[in-house]
Amino acid sequence: MFDMFFPDRYVASAYVINYEKLYEEGVRGLIFDIDNTLVPHGAPADRRAKELFQRLKEIGFRCCLISNNQEPRVKMFNEDIQVDYVYNAHKPSTKNYKKAMEIMGTKTADTLFVGDQLFTDVWGAKRAGISNILVKPIHPREEMQIVLKRYLERIVLYFYGRSKKN
Protein backbone atom coordinates (compact mmCIF):
# COMPACT_ATOMS: atom_id res chain seq x y z
CA MET A 1 0.00 0.00 0.00
CA PHE A 2 2.76 2.44 0.95
CA ASP A 3 5.54 0.86 -1.09
CA MET A 4 5.33 3.49 -3.84
CA PHE A 5 6.82 5.84 -1.23
CA PHE A 6 9.49 3.43 0.06
CA PRO A 7 13.04 4.62 -0.55
CA ASP A 8 15.52 2.29 -2.22
CA ARG A 9 17.79 2.84 0.78
CA TYR A 10 17.46 4.71 4.07
CA VAL A 11 20.62 5.94 5.81
CA ALA A 12 21.52 8.32 8.61
CA SER A 13 23.09 11.05 6.47
CA ALA A 14 24.26 12.09 3.02
CA TYR A 15 27.70 12.23 4.60
CA VAL A 16 27.89 8.47 5.39
CA ILE A 17 27.09 7.17 1.90
CA ASN A 18 29.91 5.19 0.26
CA TYR A 19 30.17 7.26 -2.92
CA GLU A 20 33.27 5.44 -4.12
CA LYS A 21 31.29 2.18 -4.13
CA LEU A 22 28.43 3.85 -6.00
CA TYR A 23 30.88 5.02 -8.67
CA GLU A 24 32.31 1.48 -8.94
CA GLU A 25 28.72 0.25 -9.42
CA GLY A 26 28.26 2.61 -12.38
CA VAL A 27 26.54 5.64 -10.86
CA ARG A 28 27.77 8.79 -12.64
CA GLY A 29 25.24 11.46 -11.72
CA LEU A 30 24.13 12.51 -8.25
CA ILE A 31 21.11 14.70 -7.63
CA PHE A 32 20.79 16.23 -4.16
CA ASP A 33 18.09 18.05 -2.28
CA ILE A 34 19.62 20.85 -0.15
CA ASP A 35 17.62 21.81 2.94
CA ASN A 36 17.80 19.25 5.73
CA THR A 37 19.62 16.86 3.40
CA LEU A 38 22.98 18.66 3.23
CA VAL A 39 22.53 21.57 5.67
CA PRO A 40 19.80 22.91 7.99
CA HIS A 41 17.03 24.93 6.30
CA GLY A 42 18.31 28.17 4.82
CA ALA A 43 21.97 27.58 5.76
CA PRO A 44 24.88 28.19 3.39
CA ALA A 45 27.18 25.34 2.40
CA ASP A 46 29.21 24.42 5.47
CA ARG A 47 32.64 22.78 5.66
CA ARG A 48 31.16 19.26 5.38
CA ALA A 49 29.15 20.14 2.28
CA LYS A 50 32.12 21.83 0.61
CA GLU A 51 34.37 18.86 1.34
CA LEU A 52 31.73 16.39 0.15
CA PHE A 53 31.26 18.06 -3.22
CA GLN A 54 35.02 18.43 -3.69
CA ARG A 55 35.35 14.68 -3.04
CA LEU A 56 32.47 13.83 -5.39
CA LYS A 57 34.07 15.85 -8.19
CA GLU A 58 37.42 14.13 -7.58
CA ILE A 59 35.73 10.71 -7.79
CA GLY A 60 34.30 11.75 -11.16
CA PHE A 61 30.63 12.38 -10.43
CA ARG A 62 28.47 14.98 -12.13
CA CYS A 63 26.31 16.63 -9.47
CA CYS A 64 23.12 18.66 -9.58
CA LEU A 65 21.10 20.26 -6.81
CA ILE A 66 17.32 20.15 -7.20
CA SER A 67 15.26 22.26 -4.85
CA ASN A 68 11.72 23.52 -4.47
CA ASN A 69 13.24 26.77 -3.17
CA GLN A 70 13.60 29.88 -5.28
CA GLU A 71 16.88 30.71 -7.04
CA PRO A 72 18.39 33.10 -4.42
CA ARG A 73 18.37 30.29 -1.82
CA VAL A 74 19.82 27.67 -4.16
CA LYS A 75 22.39 30.07 -5.64
CA MET A 76 23.57 31.10 -2.16
CA PHE A 77 24.11 27.46 -1.12
CA ASN A 78 25.87 26.71 -4.40
CA GLU A 79 28.34 29.64 -4.22
CA ASP A 80 31.08 27.60 -2.59
CA ILE A 81 30.40 24.19 -4.12
CA GLN A 82 29.84 25.16 -7.77
CA VAL A 83 27.66 22.40 -9.20
CA ASP A 84 24.66 22.55 -11.52
CA TYR A 85 21.28 23.27 -10.00
CA VAL A 86 17.56 23.43 -10.68
CA TYR A 87 15.44 25.71 -8.50
CA ASN A 88 11.66 25.95 -8.08
CA ALA A 89 11.59 22.27 -9.04
CA HIS A 90 8.01 21.46 -7.99
CA LYS A 91 9.04 18.09 -6.57
CA PRO A 92 7.55 15.46 -6.76
CA SER A 93 6.96 16.43 -10.40
CA THR A 94 9.35 14.41 -12.56
CA LYS A 95 10.08 17.25 -14.99
CA ASN A 96 13.06 18.69 -13.15
CA TYR A 97 14.56 15.34 -12.18
CA LYS A 98 14.72 14.73 -15.93
CA LYS A 99 16.12 18.23 -16.48
CA ALA A 100 18.86 17.52 -13.91
CA MET A 101 19.82 14.35 -15.79
CA GLU A 102 19.89 16.28 -19.08
CA ILE A 103 22.19 18.88 -17.52
CA MET A 104 24.51 16.17 -16.16
CA GLY A 105 24.36 14.05 -19.31
CA THR A 106 23.17 11.00 -17.40
CA LYS A 107 20.30 8.52 -17.70
CA THR A 108 18.03 6.95 -15.09
CA ALA A 109 20.26 3.85 -14.93
CA ASP A 110 23.36 5.79 -13.83
CA THR A 111 21.77 8.52 -11.69
CA LEU A 112 21.05 8.50 -7.96
CA PHE A 113 18.98 10.94 -5.92
CA VAL A 114 19.64 11.82 -2.25
CA GLY A 115 17.01 13.65 -0.18
CA ASP A 116 15.31 13.85 3.21
CA GLN A 117 11.59 13.82 2.36
CA LEU A 118 9.49 10.88 1.22
CA PHE A 119 6.56 12.68 -0.41
CA THR A 120 8.59 15.14 -2.47
CA ASP A 121 12.17 13.90 -2.88
CA VAL A 122 11.88 10.11 -2.90
CA TRP A 123 8.49 9.86 -4.56
CA GLY A 124 9.57 12.22 -7.33
CA ALA A 125 12.77 10.26 -7.92
CA LYS A 126 10.88 6.97 -7.99
CA ARG A 127 8.33 8.38 -10.44
CA ALA A 128 11.21 9.57 -12.65
CA GLY A 129 12.77 6.08 -12.52
CA ILE A 130 15.81 7.19 -10.52
CA SER A 131 17.39 5.17 -7.71
CA ASN A 132 17.20 7.02 -4.45
CA ILE A 133 18.49 7.22 -0.91
CA LEU A 134 16.44 8.77 1.89
CA VAL A 135 18.49 10.43 4.62
CA LYS A 136 17.38 11.48 8.08
CA PRO A 137 16.73 15.23 8.38
CA ILE A 138 19.79 17.14 9.61
CA HIS A 139 17.91 19.54 11.88
CA PRO A 140 14.56 19.29 13.72
CA ARG A 141 13.51 22.90 12.93
CA GLU A 142 11.32 22.86 9.84
CA GLU A 143 8.58 24.83 8.13
CA MET A 144 5.04 24.00 9.25
CA GLN A 145 3.98 22.24 6.03
CA ILE A 146 7.00 19.94 6.35
CA VAL A 147 6.28 19.21 10.03
CA LEU A 148 2.83 17.97 9.01
CA LYS A 149 4.29 15.74 6.28
CA ARG A 150 6.75 14.25 8.77
CA TYR A 151 3.87 12.73 10.74
CA LEU A 152 2.70 10.92 7.62
CA GLU A 153 6.27 9.93 6.79
CA ARG A 154 6.57 8.16 10.15
CA ILE A 155 3.66 5.92 9.18
CA VAL A 156 5.22 5.06 5.83
CA LEU A 157 8.64 4.47 7.41
CA TYR A 158 7.05 2.15 9.98
CA PHE A 159 5.77 -0.05 7.14
CA TYR A 160 9.06 0.34 5.27
CA GLY A 161 10.89 -1.00 8.35
CA ARG A 162 8.49 -3.92 8.63
CA SER A 163 8.92 -4.76 4.94
CA LYS A 164 12.71 -4.97 5.42
CA LYS A 165 12.28 -7.50 8.25
CA ASN A 166 10.23 -9.89 6.14
Side-chain angles (χ1 to χ4, degrees):
M1 176 169 133
F2 292 115
D3 51 346
M4 70 177 157
F5 298 113
F6 288 175
D8 294 332
R9 289 181 48 209
Y10 184 31
V11 301
S13 164
Y15 299 101
V16 302
I17 296 168
N18 185 340
Y19 293 102
E20 290 80 3
K21 185 171 187 249
L22 290 172
Y23 195 85
E24 287 172 17
E25 293 170 351
V27 175
R28 294 297 180 263
L30 296 170
I31 304 172
F32 288 90
D33 173 55
I34 300 171
D35 286 331
N36 245 350
T37 296
L38 297 166
V39 293
H41 274 277
D46 58 14
R47 180 190 52 78
R48 278 195 325 170
K50 293 173 194 175
E51 289 173 0
L52 174 63
F53 282 94
Q54 182 61 42
R55 183 174 137 224
L56 296 174
K57 291 173 188 177
E58 288 169 3
I59 293 169
F61 284 109
R62 290 293 312 266
C63 298
C64 189
L65 306 170
I66 179 172
S67 175
N68 284 348
N69 283 303
Q70 298 303 309
E71 187 173 25
R73 162 65 185 130
V74 181
K75 190 174 184 179
M76 180 265 288
F77 175 83
N78 193 42
E79 280 176 6
D80 290 328
I81 59 171
Q82 294 298 302
V83 297
D84 294 309
Y85 64 84
V86 178
Y87 63 93
N88 197 22
H90 299 286
K91 294 178 287 181
S93 168
T94 62
K95 177 183 174 192
N96 287 306
Y97 291 85
K98 293 172 184 172
K99 181 177 179 181
M101 287 187 291
E102 276 178 42
I103 291 168
M104 295 187 299
T106 60
K107 304 278 185 232
T108 57
D110 63 356
T111 303
L112 176 82
F113 178 85
V114 180
D116 71 302
Q117 291 188 58
L118 282 177
F119 301 126
T120 52
D121 297 333
V122 169
W123 192 35
K126 286 179 78 89
R127 291 175 60 227
I130 301 171
S131 294
N132 58 83
I133 298 177
L134 176 69
V135 298
K136 292 181 179 173
I138 284 183
H139 195 276
R141 184 183 64 80
E142 298 186 290
E143 298 168 0
M144 183 51 83
Q145 73 270 16
I146 295 172
V147 171
L148 297 173
K149 284 192 265 184
R150 294 287 185 207
Y151 288 111
L152 297 172
E153 284 184 356
R154 282 192 207 124
I155 296 166
V156 174
L157 289 172
Y158 168 80
F159 287 103
Y160 171 74
R162 286 182 54 129
S163 76
K164 293 298 177 193
K165 291 177 185 170
N166 295 333

